Amino acid sequence: MRNILICVTFFLAWSLSSCNDWLDVKPETEKDEKEMFDSPNGFKNALTACYIKMNSVNLYGKRLTVTDIEFMAQHWTWSESNYSNERKLKDFNYEEDYPKDFFSTVYGELYNIIVQANIILKNIPEKKEVIVNEDVRALVEGEALAIRAFCHMEILRLFGQIPQNATKQVSLPYAKTVSTEAIPYYAFSDFVNLIVQDIDAAEALFKDRDPLFEYTYEELDNFSNTKEYDVTLDDDFLGYRRFRFNYYAMKAMKARLYMYTGDKGKAYAAAMEVINAVNKKGNKVLTLAGTADMNKKNYALPSECILALSNYELEKNVTELFRDSNPLKLYLTDKQFTQDIFAGQSTSINNRAQVWNTDPDNQGNIKPTPRKYNQPTIDDNTDIGELASQKQVIPLIRLSEMYLIAIESATSLSDVNSLYTEYMRARGVAANPLTEEQVMTEIVREYRREFFAEGQMFYIYKRLGTKNMLWKTDREVGEQDYVAPLPTTEYNANQK
Protein backbone atom coordinates (compact mmCIF):
# COMPACT_ATOMS: atom_id res chain seq x y z
CA MET A 1 0.00 0.00 0.00
CA ARG A 2 2.94 2.40 0.52
CA ASN A 3 3.15 3.48 -3.14
CA ILE A 4 -0.59 3.95 -3.60
CA LEU A 5 -1.20 5.93 -0.43
CA ILE A 6 1.54 8.44 -1.10
CA CYS A 7 0.26 9.21 -4.62
CA VAL A 8 -3.10 10.85 -5.25
CA THR A 9 -4.46 12.63 -8.29
CA PHE A 10 -7.21 15.22 -8.06
CA PHE A 11 -8.77 16.26 -11.31
CA LEU A 12 -11.98 17.71 -12.63
CA ALA A 13 -11.23 19.71 -15.75
CA TRP A 14 -7.58 19.75 -14.75
CA SER A 15 -5.06 17.03 -13.94
CA LEU A 16 -2.06 17.00 -11.65
CA SER A 17 1.23 15.85 -13.06
CA SER A 18 2.46 13.77 -10.13
CA CYS A 19 1.66 13.00 -6.52
CA ASN A 20 4.62 14.99 -5.18
CA ASP A 21 3.90 17.95 -7.47
CA TRP A 22 0.37 18.06 -6.10
CA LEU A 23 1.73 19.12 -2.71
CA ASP A 24 4.64 21.26 -3.86
CA VAL A 25 3.78 22.92 -7.18
CA LYS A 26 0.81 25.14 -8.00
CA PRO A 27 0.49 25.80 -11.74
CA GLU A 28 -2.33 28.06 -12.89
CA THR A 29 -4.92 25.26 -13.14
CA GLU A 30 -3.90 23.39 -10.00
CA LYS A 31 -4.55 23.79 -6.30
CA ASP A 32 -2.79 22.29 -3.35
CA GLU A 33 -4.76 20.59 -0.64
CA LYS A 34 -4.88 23.65 1.61
CA GLU A 35 -6.40 25.86 -1.07
CA MET A 36 -8.64 23.11 -2.48
CA PHE A 37 -10.82 23.08 0.63
CA ASP A 38 -11.07 26.81 1.23
CA SER A 39 -14.46 26.88 -0.51
CA PRO A 40 -17.54 24.65 -0.79
CA ASN A 41 -16.75 24.14 -4.47
CA GLY A 42 -13.38 22.71 -3.50
CA PHE A 43 -15.09 19.92 -1.57
CA LYS A 44 -17.59 19.36 -4.37
CA ASN A 45 -14.85 19.26 -7.00
CA ALA A 46 -12.85 16.82 -4.93
CA LEU A 47 -15.87 14.51 -4.79
CA THR A 48 -16.47 14.92 -8.49
CA ALA A 49 -12.88 13.87 -9.08
CA CYS A 50 -13.67 10.56 -7.37
CA TYR A 51 -16.61 9.94 -9.69
CA ILE A 52 -14.56 10.86 -12.73
CA LYS A 53 -11.88 8.40 -11.66
CA MET A 54 -14.51 5.68 -11.26
CA ASN A 55 -15.37 6.31 -14.92
CA SER A 56 -11.84 5.37 -15.98
CA VAL A 57 -11.59 2.72 -18.72
CA ASN A 58 -9.54 0.71 -16.22
CA LEU A 59 -12.47 0.65 -13.82
CA TYR A 60 -16.19 1.02 -14.54
CA GLY A 61 -15.68 2.82 -17.83
CA LYS A 62 -14.84 -0.55 -19.38
CA ARG A 63 -12.63 -3.14 -17.69
CA LEU A 64 -14.75 -3.74 -14.55
CA THR A 65 -18.02 -3.77 -16.46
CA VAL A 66 -17.71 -4.86 -20.08
CA THR A 67 -14.38 -6.51 -20.81
CA ASP A 68 -11.84 -8.01 -18.41
CA ILE A 69 -14.08 -8.89 -15.48
CA GLU A 70 -16.57 -10.36 -17.97
CA PHE A 71 -13.81 -12.45 -19.57
CA MET A 72 -13.21 -13.93 -16.11
CA ALA A 73 -16.89 -14.89 -16.07
CA GLN A 74 -16.33 -16.62 -19.45
CA HIS A 75 -18.47 -14.08 -21.27
CA TRP A 76 -18.13 -13.05 -24.91
CA THR A 77 -17.04 -14.76 -28.09
CA TRP A 78 -14.33 -13.26 -30.25
CA SER A 79 -11.68 -13.92 -32.87
CA GLU A 80 -9.03 -15.93 -31.02
CA SER A 81 -6.17 -14.32 -32.93
CA ASN A 82 -7.20 -10.86 -31.77
CA TYR A 83 -7.71 -11.67 -28.11
CA SER A 84 -4.69 -13.72 -27.09
CA ASN A 85 -4.11 -11.61 -23.96
CA GLU A 86 -7.73 -11.61 -22.87
CA ARG A 87 -7.82 -15.40 -23.29
CA LYS A 88 -5.39 -15.55 -20.37
CA LEU A 89 -8.05 -14.09 -18.13
CA LYS A 90 -10.61 -16.62 -19.35
CA ASP A 91 -8.11 -19.36 -18.60
CA PHE A 92 -7.27 -17.85 -15.19
CA ASN A 93 -3.58 -17.69 -16.07
CA TYR A 94 -2.98 -14.97 -13.52
CA GLU A 95 0.79 -15.17 -13.66
CA GLU A 96 0.86 -13.95 -17.25
CA ASP A 97 1.66 -10.30 -17.96
CA TYR A 98 -1.80 -9.18 -19.12
CA PRO A 99 -3.72 -10.41 -16.04
CA LYS A 100 -1.00 -9.12 -13.72
CA ASP A 101 -1.20 -5.70 -15.31
CA PHE A 102 -5.00 -5.70 -15.13
CA PHE A 103 -5.08 -6.59 -11.43
CA SER A 104 -2.30 -4.16 -10.56
CA THR A 105 -4.02 -1.33 -12.42
CA VAL A 106 -7.43 -1.95 -10.88
CA TYR A 107 -5.95 -2.29 -7.39
CA GLY A 108 -3.99 0.92 -7.77
CA GLU A 109 -6.83 2.99 -9.18
CA LEU A 110 -9.35 1.83 -6.57
CA TYR A 111 -6.98 2.71 -3.75
CA ASN A 112 -6.22 6.01 -5.43
CA ILE A 113 -9.93 6.87 -5.21
CA ILE A 114 -9.93 5.78 -1.57
CA VAL A 115 -7.08 8.17 -0.84
CA GLN A 116 -8.97 11.00 -2.50
CA ALA A 117 -12.03 10.21 -0.37
CA ASN A 118 -9.83 10.12 2.75
CA ILE A 119 -8.39 13.54 1.96
CA ILE A 120 -11.92 14.92 1.80
CA LEU A 121 -12.78 13.26 5.12
CA LYS A 122 -9.60 14.62 6.69
CA ASN A 123 -10.47 18.19 5.72
CA ILE A 124 -14.15 18.21 6.69
CA PRO A 125 -13.60 18.54 10.46
CA GLU A 126 -10.64 20.86 9.91
CA LYS A 127 -12.65 23.21 7.67
CA LYS A 128 -16.14 22.60 8.94
CA GLU A 129 -17.08 26.26 8.66
CA VAL A 130 -16.40 26.37 4.90
CA ILE A 131 -19.64 24.54 4.00
CA VAL A 132 -22.28 26.63 5.73
CA ASN A 133 -25.24 24.49 4.64
CA GLU A 134 -25.27 21.62 7.15
CA ASP A 135 -27.18 19.29 4.83
CA VAL A 136 -24.66 19.79 2.04
CA ARG A 137 -21.78 19.28 4.46
CA ALA A 138 -23.34 16.05 5.71
CA LEU A 139 -23.89 14.79 2.16
CA VAL A 140 -20.30 15.59 1.19
CA GLU A 141 -18.99 13.63 4.16
CA GLY A 142 -21.48 10.83 3.55
CA GLU A 143 -20.53 10.51 -0.10
CA ALA A 144 -16.82 10.38 0.75
CA LEU A 145 -17.44 7.61 3.30
CA ALA A 146 -19.63 5.76 0.81
CA ILE A 147 -16.99 5.98 -1.92
CA ARG A 148 -14.42 4.58 0.50
CA ALA A 149 -16.74 1.73 1.46
CA PHE A 150 -17.70 0.94 -2.14
CA CYS A 151 -14.11 0.78 -3.39
CA HIS A 152 -13.02 -1.40 -0.49
CA MET A 153 -15.97 -3.71 -1.18
CA GLU A 154 -14.87 -4.03 -4.80
CA ILE A 155 -11.35 -4.87 -3.64
CA LEU A 156 -12.83 -7.51 -1.34
CA ARG A 157 -14.87 -9.08 -4.13
CA LEU A 158 -11.97 -9.23 -6.58
CA PHE A 159 -8.88 -9.77 -4.42
CA GLY A 160 -10.40 -11.29 -1.29
CA GLN A 161 -10.86 -14.94 -0.44
CA ILE A 162 -14.01 -16.77 -1.43
CA PRO A 163 -16.67 -15.79 1.10
CA GLN A 164 -17.73 -19.31 2.03
CA ASN A 165 -15.53 -22.20 3.23
CA ALA A 166 -12.26 -20.59 2.14
CA THR A 167 -9.15 -22.71 2.47
CA LYS A 168 -6.98 -19.82 1.24
CA GLN A 169 -7.18 -16.97 3.74
CA VAL A 170 -6.53 -13.50 2.33
CA SER A 171 -5.89 -10.34 4.36
CA LEU A 172 -6.42 -6.96 2.72
CA PRO A 173 -5.47 -3.36 3.61
CA TYR A 174 -8.26 -1.02 4.70
CA ALA A 175 -7.22 2.61 4.32
CA LYS A 176 -9.03 4.98 6.68
CA THR A 177 -6.40 7.71 6.84
CA VAL A 178 -3.98 9.54 4.57
CA SER A 179 -0.55 8.38 5.63
CA THR A 180 2.84 7.36 4.32
CA GLU A 181 2.97 4.66 6.97
CA ALA A 182 2.02 1.08 6.20
CA ILE A 183 -1.73 0.52 6.30
CA PRO A 184 -2.78 -2.47 8.42
CA TYR A 185 -4.09 -5.60 6.74
CA TYR A 186 -7.28 -7.21 8.01
CA ALA A 187 -8.69 -10.72 7.90
CA PHE A 188 -11.87 -11.24 5.88
CA SER A 189 -14.44 -10.76 8.65
CA ASP A 190 -12.67 -7.72 10.08
CA PHE A 191 -12.41 -6.16 6.61
CA VAL A 192 -16.15 -6.72 6.08
CA ASN A 193 -16.89 -5.08 9.43
CA LEU A 194 -14.91 -2.00 8.43
CA ILE A 195 -16.94 -1.72 5.23
CA VAL A 196 -20.16 -1.98 7.23
CA GLN A 197 -18.95 0.71 9.65
CA ASP A 198 -18.33 3.11 6.78
CA ILE A 199 -21.70 2.32 5.19
CA ASP A 200 -23.45 2.83 8.54
CA ALA A 201 -21.69 6.16 9.07
CA ALA A 202 -22.62 7.34 5.58
CA GLU A 203 -26.22 6.17 6.02
CA ALA A 204 -26.52 8.14 9.27
CA LEU A 205 -25.30 11.29 7.52
CA PHE A 206 -27.76 10.78 4.64
CA LYS A 207 -30.67 10.01 6.94
CA ASP A 208 -33.39 12.68 6.63
CA ARG A 209 -30.99 14.96 4.72
CA ASP A 210 -30.88 13.19 1.37
CA PRO A 211 -33.37 14.83 -1.03
CA LEU A 212 -34.60 11.31 -1.81
CA PHE A 213 -36.66 11.51 1.37
CA GLU A 214 -38.72 14.22 -0.34
CA TYR A 215 -38.34 13.51 -4.06
CA THR A 216 -37.97 10.51 -6.35
CA TYR A 217 -34.87 9.70 -8.35
CA GLU A 218 -36.68 10.82 -11.50
CA GLU A 219 -37.60 14.18 -10.01
CA LEU A 220 -34.04 14.79 -8.88
CA ASP A 221 -32.72 13.84 -12.33
CA ASN A 222 -34.92 16.61 -13.73
CA PHE A 223 -34.83 19.21 -10.95
CA SER A 224 -33.90 21.98 -13.41
CA ASN A 225 -36.98 21.27 -15.55
CA THR A 226 -39.34 23.60 -13.68
CA LYS A 227 -42.10 23.24 -16.28
CA GLU A 228 -42.68 19.53 -15.66
CA TYR A 229 -41.23 18.95 -12.20
CA ASP A 230 -41.84 20.75 -8.93
CA VAL A 231 -38.49 20.41 -7.19
CA THR A 232 -36.93 23.00 -4.89
CA LEU A 233 -33.31 22.53 -3.86
CA ASP A 234 -31.09 24.82 -1.80
CA ASP A 235 -28.08 23.79 -3.86
CA ASP A 236 -27.77 22.19 -7.31
CA PHE A 237 -25.34 19.77 -5.66
CA LEU A 238 -28.40 18.09 -4.14
CA GLY A 239 -29.74 17.02 -7.55
CA TYR A 240 -28.93 13.97 -9.65
CA ARG A 241 -28.86 11.67 -6.60
CA ARG A 242 -28.92 8.62 -8.86
CA PHE A 243 -25.44 9.60 -10.00
CA ARG A 244 -24.06 10.18 -6.52
CA PHE A 245 -23.84 7.91 -3.52
CA ASN A 246 -27.10 8.32 -1.64
CA TYR A 247 -29.18 6.93 1.20
CA TYR A 248 -30.72 4.05 -0.73
CA ALA A 249 -27.40 3.21 -2.33
CA MET A 250 -26.20 2.53 1.22
CA LYS A 251 -29.06 0.10 1.78
CA ALA A 252 -28.33 -1.52 -1.57
CA MET A 253 -24.62 -1.83 -0.78
CA LYS A 254 -25.52 -3.53 2.49
CA ALA A 255 -27.83 -5.93 0.68
CA ARG A 256 -25.07 -6.79 -1.81
CA LEU A 257 -22.42 -7.16 0.89
CA TYR A 258 -24.55 -9.26 3.24
CA MET A 259 -25.64 -11.48 0.36
CA TYR A 260 -21.99 -11.89 -0.63
CA THR A 261 -20.95 -12.88 2.89
CA GLY A 262 -23.90 -15.22 3.38
CA ASP A 263 -25.92 -13.23 5.92
CA LYS A 264 -29.23 -13.74 4.15
CA GLY A 265 -31.41 -12.30 6.90
CA LYS A 266 -29.69 -8.91 6.80
CA ALA A 267 -29.46 -9.03 3.01
CA TYR A 268 -33.21 -9.57 2.73
CA ALA A 269 -34.01 -6.74 5.16
CA ALA A 270 -31.77 -4.25 3.35
CA ALA A 271 -33.04 -5.23 -0.11
CA MET A 272 -36.67 -4.92 0.95
CA GLU A 273 -36.05 -1.45 2.38
CA VAL A 274 -35.00 -0.34 -1.08
CA ILE A 275 -37.82 -2.19 -2.86
CA ASN A 276 -40.47 -0.71 -0.55
CA ALA A 277 -38.97 2.78 -0.20
CA VAL A 278 -41.36 5.74 -0.47
CA ASN A 279 -40.73 9.43 0.05
CA LYS A 280 -42.62 11.83 2.31
CA LYS A 281 -45.32 12.20 -0.33
CA GLY A 282 -45.89 8.44 -0.34
CA ASN A 283 -44.47 8.00 -3.83
CA LYS A 284 -42.27 5.01 -4.62
CA VAL A 285 -38.69 6.23 -4.74
CA LEU A 286 -37.84 3.70 -7.44
CA THR A 287 -39.65 1.09 -9.54
CA LEU A 288 -38.48 -1.66 -11.87
CA ALA A 289 -37.86 -0.60 -15.44
CA GLY A 290 -40.20 -1.92 -18.10
CA THR A 291 -41.36 -1.07 -21.58
CA ALA A 292 -40.98 2.68 -21.00
CA ASP A 293 -37.19 2.49 -20.91
CA MET A 294 -37.14 0.08 -23.84
CA ASN A 295 -39.37 2.33 -25.94
CA LYS A 296 -37.02 5.23 -25.27
CA LYS A 297 -34.02 3.03 -26.16
CA ASN A 298 -32.66 3.51 -22.65
CA TYR A 299 -31.19 0.02 -22.63
CA ALA A 300 -29.03 0.50 -19.52
CA LEU A 301 -32.36 0.85 -17.67
CA PRO A 302 -31.46 4.14 -15.97
CA SER A 303 -34.89 4.50 -14.41
CA GLU A 304 -34.15 1.60 -12.04
CA CYS A 305 -30.55 2.53 -11.21
CA ILE A 306 -30.01 3.09 -7.51
CA LEU A 307 -26.47 4.17 -8.27
CA ALA A 308 -24.91 4.86 -11.65
CA LEU A 309 -22.17 6.78 -13.41
CA SER A 310 -22.71 9.19 -16.28
CA ASN A 311 -19.93 8.65 -18.81
CA TYR A 312 -19.74 10.73 -22.00
CA GLU A 313 -17.03 8.47 -23.47
CA LEU A 314 -19.15 5.33 -23.77
CA GLU A 315 -19.39 5.58 -27.55
CA LYS A 316 -15.62 5.74 -27.94
CA ASN A 317 -14.62 3.26 -25.25
CA VAL A 318 -17.40 0.67 -25.21
CA THR A 319 -19.85 0.73 -28.13
CA GLU A 320 -16.97 0.45 -30.58
CA LEU A 321 -16.17 -3.01 -29.16
CA PHE A 322 -19.32 -4.51 -30.71
CA ARG A 323 -19.10 -3.17 -34.25
CA ASP A 324 -18.40 -5.37 -37.28
CA SER A 325 -15.65 -2.99 -38.34
CA ASN A 326 -13.74 -3.59 -35.12
CA PRO A 327 -11.23 -6.46 -35.43
CA LEU A 328 -11.72 -7.11 -31.71
CA LYS A 329 -15.49 -7.36 -32.00
CA LEU A 330 -17.24 -8.95 -29.02
CA TYR A 331 -20.47 -10.88 -29.54
CA LEU A 332 -22.46 -13.96 -28.58
CA THR A 333 -23.33 -16.80 -30.88
CA ASP A 334 -26.99 -17.29 -31.69
CA LYS A 335 -26.99 -20.44 -29.57
CA GLN A 336 -25.43 -18.67 -26.60
CA PHE A 337 -28.10 -16.02 -26.82
CA THR A 338 -31.25 -18.08 -27.39
CA GLN A 339 -30.41 -21.36 -25.64
CA ASP A 340 -28.14 -20.21 -22.81
CA ILE A 341 -28.88 -16.61 -21.86
CA PHE A 342 -32.60 -17.00 -22.43
CA ALA A 343 -32.84 -20.65 -21.49
CA GLY A 344 -36.45 -21.51 -20.75
CA GLN A 345 -37.78 -18.16 -21.94
CA SER A 346 -38.91 -16.79 -25.28
CA THR A 347 -36.86 -13.87 -26.59
CA SER A 348 -39.98 -12.57 -28.30
CA ILE A 349 -41.65 -11.97 -24.95
CA ASN A 350 -38.90 -11.06 -22.49
CA ASN A 351 -38.23 -7.35 -22.94
CA ARG A 352 -34.57 -7.80 -21.99
CA ALA A 353 -34.04 -9.38 -25.39
CA GLN A 354 -34.55 -5.88 -26.77
CA VAL A 355 -31.31 -4.89 -25.08
CA TRP A 356 -29.55 -6.99 -27.72
CA ASN A 357 -29.11 -6.40 -31.44
CA THR A 358 -29.91 -9.66 -33.21
CA ASP A 359 -29.89 -8.43 -36.81
CA PRO A 360 -27.89 -10.62 -39.25
CA ASP A 361 -24.45 -9.29 -40.14
CA ASN A 362 -23.17 -8.75 -43.71
CA GLN A 363 -22.68 -12.51 -44.12
CA GLY A 364 -26.14 -13.33 -42.82
CA ASN A 365 -24.85 -14.59 -39.46
CA ILE A 366 -26.66 -13.72 -36.26
CA LYS A 367 -24.13 -12.60 -33.65
CA PRO A 368 -26.04 -10.81 -30.89
CA THR A 369 -24.37 -7.72 -29.45
CA PRO A 370 -25.63 -5.51 -26.61
CA ARG A 371 -27.29 -2.16 -27.14
CA LYS A 372 -26.90 -1.33 -23.46
CA TYR A 373 -24.32 1.37 -24.03
CA ASN A 374 -25.40 2.56 -27.49
CA GLN A 375 -25.47 6.33 -27.87
CA PRO A 376 -27.79 8.44 -30.03
CA THR A 377 -26.39 10.06 -33.14
CA ILE A 378 -25.95 13.80 -33.54
CA ASP A 379 -28.97 13.79 -35.88
CA ASP A 380 -31.18 12.61 -33.00
CA ASN A 381 -30.78 16.03 -31.36
CA THR A 382 -30.93 14.49 -27.91
CA ASP A 383 -31.25 17.01 -25.10
CA ILE A 384 -28.00 17.25 -23.14
CA GLY A 385 -29.77 16.52 -19.85
CA GLU A 386 -31.42 13.42 -21.28
CA LEU A 387 -28.10 12.36 -22.77
CA ALA A 388 -26.30 12.58 -19.42
CA SER A 389 -29.03 11.00 -17.27
CA GLN A 390 -30.53 8.38 -19.60
CA LYS A 391 -28.05 7.49 -22.35
CA GLN A 392 -24.51 7.89 -21.02
CA VAL A 393 -25.27 5.58 -18.13
CA ILE A 394 -23.12 2.90 -16.50
CA PRO A 395 -25.19 1.06 -13.88
CA LEU A 396 -23.42 0.27 -10.61
CA ILE A 397 -26.41 -1.01 -8.61
CA ARG A 398 -29.91 -1.56 -10.01
CA LEU A 399 -33.23 -2.28 -8.35
CA SER A 400 -33.40 -5.62 -10.16
CA GLU A 401 -30.44 -6.80 -8.07
CA MET A 402 -32.39 -5.98 -4.91
CA TYR A 403 -35.26 -8.14 -6.17
CA LEU A 404 -32.93 -11.04 -6.92
CA ILE A 405 -31.31 -10.72 -3.49
CA ALA A 406 -34.71 -10.65 -1.82
CA ILE A 407 -35.94 -13.62 -3.85
CA GLU A 408 -32.86 -15.66 -2.95
CA SER A 409 -32.92 -14.76 0.74
CA ALA A 410 -36.69 -14.90 1.39
CA THR A 411 -37.59 -17.49 4.02
CA SER A 412 -40.83 -18.75 2.49
CA LEU A 413 -41.62 -19.99 -1.00
CA SER A 414 -44.73 -17.81 -1.10
CA ASP A 415 -42.60 -14.70 -0.55
CA VAL A 416 -40.16 -15.95 -3.17
CA ASN A 417 -42.88 -16.29 -5.76
CA SER A 418 -44.60 -13.04 -4.85
CA LEU A 419 -41.36 -11.14 -5.51
CA TYR A 420 -40.47 -13.28 -8.53
CA THR A 421 -43.86 -12.69 -10.15
CA GLU A 422 -43.59 -8.93 -9.64
CA TYR A 423 -40.04 -8.89 -10.96
CA MET A 424 -40.80 -10.97 -14.06
CA ARG A 425 -43.93 -8.97 -14.85
CA ALA A 426 -41.71 -5.90 -15.29
CA ARG A 427 -39.67 -7.97 -17.75
CA GLY A 428 -42.76 -8.77 -19.79
CA VAL A 429 -42.97 -12.39 -18.65
CA ALA A 430 -45.93 -14.11 -16.98
CA ALA A 431 -43.90 -16.31 -14.67
CA ASN A 432 -44.95 -19.71 -13.41
CA PRO A 433 -44.40 -20.23 -9.66
CA LEU A 434 -40.98 -21.62 -8.78
CA THR A 435 -40.45 -24.79 -6.80
CA GLU A 436 -37.77 -24.96 -4.10
CA GLU A 437 -35.57 -26.89 -6.53
CA GLN A 438 -35.91 -24.26 -9.27
CA VAL A 439 -35.16 -21.13 -7.26
CA MET A 440 -31.34 -21.05 -7.43
CA THR A 441 -31.22 -22.19 -11.05
CA GLU A 442 -33.49 -19.33 -12.09
CA ILE A 443 -31.71 -16.78 -9.92
CA VAL A 444 -28.36 -17.55 -11.57
CA ARG A 445 -29.99 -17.33 -15.00
CA GLU A 446 -31.55 -14.01 -14.07
CA TYR A 447 -28.25 -12.54 -12.93
CA ARG A 448 -26.81 -13.51 -16.28
CA ARG A 449 -29.71 -11.99 -18.25
CA GLU A 450 -29.82 -8.83 -16.19
CA PHE A 451 -26.21 -7.90 -15.73
CA PHE A 452 -24.42 -9.08 -18.86
CA ALA A 453 -21.76 -6.41 -19.60
CA GLU A 454 -22.19 -4.87 -16.15
CA GLY A 455 -19.40 -6.85 -14.48
CA GLN A 456 -21.42 -8.75 -11.87
CA MET A 457 -21.45 -12.38 -12.98
CA PHE A 458 -17.92 -13.31 -11.85
CA TYR A 459 -18.78 -12.21 -8.32
CA ILE A 460 -22.00 -14.23 -8.34
CA TYR A 461 -20.02 -17.31 -9.33
CA LYS A 462 -17.45 -16.52 -6.64
CA ARG A 463 -20.10 -16.04 -3.96
CA LEU A 464 -21.68 -19.37 -4.84
CA GLY A 465 -18.36 -21.19 -5.27
CA THR A 466 -19.47 -22.29 -8.74
CA LYS A 467 -17.28 -25.03 -10.20
CA ASN A 468 -18.96 -25.24 -13.60
CA MET A 469 -19.25 -21.82 -15.18
CA LEU A 470 -21.40 -21.55 -18.25
CA TRP A 471 -19.18 -21.63 -21.36
CA LYS A 472 -16.09 -22.89 -19.54
CA THR A 473 -15.79 -26.41 -20.87
CA ASP A 474 -12.12 -27.32 -20.41
CA ARG A 475 -12.11 -27.78 -16.63
CA GLU A 476 -13.81 -26.98 -13.35
CA VAL A 477 -13.20 -23.62 -11.73
CA GLY A 478 -11.23 -23.87 -8.48
CA GLU A 479 -10.91 -21.70 -5.41
CA GLN A 480 -7.61 -20.24 -6.65
CA ASP A 481 -9.31 -19.01 -9.83
CA TYR A 482 -11.61 -16.76 -7.82
CA VAL A 483 -8.84 -14.94 -5.94
CA ALA A 484 -7.04 -12.28 -7.95
CA PRO A 485 -3.41 -11.95 -6.81
CA LEU A 486 -2.34 -8.75 -5.08
CA PRO A 487 0.24 -6.69 -6.97
CA THR A 488 3.79 -7.89 -6.30
CA THR A 489 4.98 -4.28 -5.90
CA GLU A 490 2.97 -3.76 -2.73
CA TYR A 491 3.58 -4.84 0.84
CA ASN A 492 1.64 -8.07 1.19
CA ALA A 493 0.71 -9.39 4.62
CA ASN A 494 -0.36 -12.67 3.01
CA GLN A 495 3.26 -13.49 2.12
CA LYS A 496 4.61 -13.29 5.65
Side-chain angles (χ1 to χ4, degrees):
M1 288 297 298
R2 60 185 183 277
N3 298 328
I4 293 169
L5 292 179
I6 295 172
C7 296
V8 58
T9 303
F10 266 122
F11 62 95
L12 181 53
W14 61 85
S15 64
L16 307 173
S17 57
S18 75
C19 51
N20 292 325
D21 288 345
W22 182 65
L23 294 175
D24 301 330
V25 182
K26 294 179 287 183
E28 198 169 77
T29 57
E30 298 173 7
K31 295 183 179 182
D32 67 6
E33 180 183 347
K34 183 177 180 180
E35 292 177 350
M36 171 73 79
F37 299 108
D38 277 344
S39 71
N41 281 341
F43 281 94
K44 295 173 186 177
N45 290 344
L47 268 178
T48 302
C50 293
Y51 293 111
I52 291 173
K53 190 64 175 174
M54 291 174 72
N55 265 316
S56 160
V57 293
N58 289 319
L59 298 179
Y60 306 99
K62 185 166 73 172
R63 299 183 81 176
L64 284 185
T65 48
V66 182
T67 56
D68 293 326
I69 196 68
E70 292 289 82
F71 300 149
M72 293 168 67
Q74 309 304 304
H75 288 179
W76 302 122
T77 297
W78 60 66
S79 170
E80 290 295 324
S81 61
N82 293 327
Y83 272 91
S84 58
N85 282 328
E86 289 78 357
R87 165 58 64 185
K88 293 166 185 173
L89 280 173
K90 273 200 171 186
D91 292 340
F92 305 121
N93 290 334
Y94 294 157
E95 295 305 311
E96 297 286 344
D97 288 343
Y98 184 89
K100 286 168 67 175
D101 175 73
F102 167 57
F103 295 135
S104 178
T105 299
V106 168
Y107 185 86
E109 293 202 12
L110 284 172
Y111 273 110
N112 184 262
I113 297 169
I114 290 167
V115 174
Q116 294 181 48
N118 281 337
I119 289 177
I120 297 168
L121 293 168
K122 169 178 171 285
N123 279 274
I124 285 177
E126 295 176 5
K127 299 199 172 185
K128 189 174 182 180
E129 73 286 349
V130 169
I131 309 177
V132 178
N133 187 311
E134 292 184 7
D135 288 346
V136 172
R137 184 168 64 242
L139 292 186
V140 168
E141 184 177 1
E143 286 186 39
L145 282 165
I147 289 167
R148 185 169 79 184
F150 184 87
C151 291
H152 277 112
M153 187 160 71
E154 294 298 88
I155 288 163
L156 178 76
R157 294 203 297 171
L158 184 56
F159 296 95
Q161 66 197 51
I162 60 172
Q164 305 296 330
N165 304 314
T167 62
K168 178 183 179 181
Q169 310 296 320
V170 179
S171 296
L172 295 168
Y174 203 99
K176 298 188 73 170
T177 60
V178 180
S179 173
T180 58
E181 298 179 3
I183 300 300
Y185 278 60
Y186 296 89
F188 182 85
S189 59
D190 294 329
F191 195 91
V192 170
N193 288 337
L194 288 170
I195 297 173
V196 173
Q197 287 174 22
D198 275 349
I199 294 175
D200 283 342
E203 183 182 317
L205 288 162
F206 291 138
K207 178 69 173 174
D208 296 327
R209 295 187 178 95
D210 196 315
L212 285 167
F213 285 97
E214 187 169 355
Y215 303 106
T216 66
Y217 282 93
E218 180 183 356
E219 288 172 324
L220 292 169
D221 283 349
N222 297 278
F223 72 93
S224 60
N225 182 353
T226 56
K227 292 182 179 179
E228 298 182 46
Y229 294 89
D230 183 17
V231 178
T232 302
L233 300 176
D234 294 336
D235 191 313
D236 287 356
F237 175 79
L238 301 175
Y240 301 112
R241 296 305 293 163
R242 193 191 310 275
F243 298 96
R244 311 189 72 90
F245 284 87
N246 58 75
Y247 179 79
Y248 293 108
M250 296 304 94
K251 296 294 185 182
M253 283 171 60
K254 278 186 179 178
R256 176 183 282 181
L257 180 62
Y258 286 135
M259 196 74 236
Y260 187 74
T261 58
D263 194 335
K264 290 189 174 183
K266 290 182 178 179
Y268 179 82
M272 291 304 297
E273 283 194 62
V274 179
I275 291 170
N276 294 327
V278 296
N279 60 23
K280 291 177 182 178
K281 301 172 185 176
N283 297 324
K284 290 276 286 186
V285 172
L286 201 63
T287 57
L288 285 167
T291 55
D293 268 347
M294 298 299 177
N295 291 339
K296 294 177 183 177
K297 299 182 180 179
N298 295 336
Y299 296 124
L301 306 185
S303 70
E304 73 168 38
C305 285
I306 303 165
L307 179 66
L309 296 173
S310 181
N311 188 316
Y312 72 93
E313 295 189 307
L314 281 178
E315 179 76 19
K316 178 181 74 173
N317 296 333
V318 176
T319 308
E320 177 65 25
L321 294 168
F322 311 119
R323 292 187 174 135
D324 290 334
S325 58
N326 192 324
L328 307 179
K329 179 184 176 179
L330 300 176
Y331 63 93
L332 294 183
T333 66
D334 190 30
K335 176 183 178 298
Q336 287 175 321
F337 180 71
T338 57
Q339 297 183 34
D340 296 333
I341 296 294
F342 286 95
Q345 292 186 13
S346 169
T347 56
S348 64
I349 297 174
N350 195 312
N351 59 33
R352 284 165 300 181
Q354 297 177 41
V355 176
W356 294 81
N357 176 19
T358 57
D359 296 335
D361 62 17
N362 294 334
Q363 288 75 44
N365 300 313
I366 296 177
K367 296 180 178 180
T369 55
R371 293 169 168 159
K372 188 169 289 187
Y373 302 113
N374 282 9
Q375 298 299 299
T377 65
I378 294 176
D379 294 337
D380 290 331
N381 295 316
T382 306
D383 175 78
I384 190 169
E386 180 185 354
L387 194 65
S389 65
Q390 299 185 45
K391 306 297 183 181
Q392 299 170 346
V393 176
I394 299 175
L396 295 181
I397 309 178
R398 290 199 280 118
L399 184 61
S400 51
E401 182 180 353
M402 297 301 102
Y403 271 85
L404 292 178
I405 288 172
I407 291 167
E408 183 176 349
S409 56
T411 55
S412 74
L413 191 59
S414 61
D415 287 342
V416 165
N417 280 305
S418 176
L419 288 161
Y420 180 67
T421 299
E422 183 179 346
Y423 164 79
M424 294 303 292
R425 186 184 300 119
R427 280 17 186 173
V429 179
N432 294 320
L434 298 175
T435 65
E436 292 279 4
E437 294 74 23
Q438 292 173 322
V439 172
M440 282 310 301
T441 297
E442 287 306 309
I443 284 173
V444 171
R445 287 175 175 174
E446 284 303 318
Y447 271 110
R448 196 176 291 119
R449 293 179 190 121
E450 282 289 338
F451 305 113
F452 209 105
E454 291 184 31
Q456 295 302 320
M457 200 62 216
F458 177 78
Y459 303 125
I460 303 306
Y461 285 141
K462 183 172 181 176
R463 170 170 71 83
L464 298 173
T466 302
K467 293 183 178 181
N468 297 298
M469 286 185 181
L470 180 66
W471 302 330
K472 184 159 185 64
T473 58
D474 59 326
R475 66 174 176 86
E476 289 187 343
V477 181
E479 181 178 357
Q480 72 283 355
D481 301 319
Y482 284 118
V483 183
L486 297 178
T488 56
T489 55
E490 297 300 323
Y491 167 76
N492 186 353
N494 303 293
Q495 295 177 351
K496 284 185 175 181

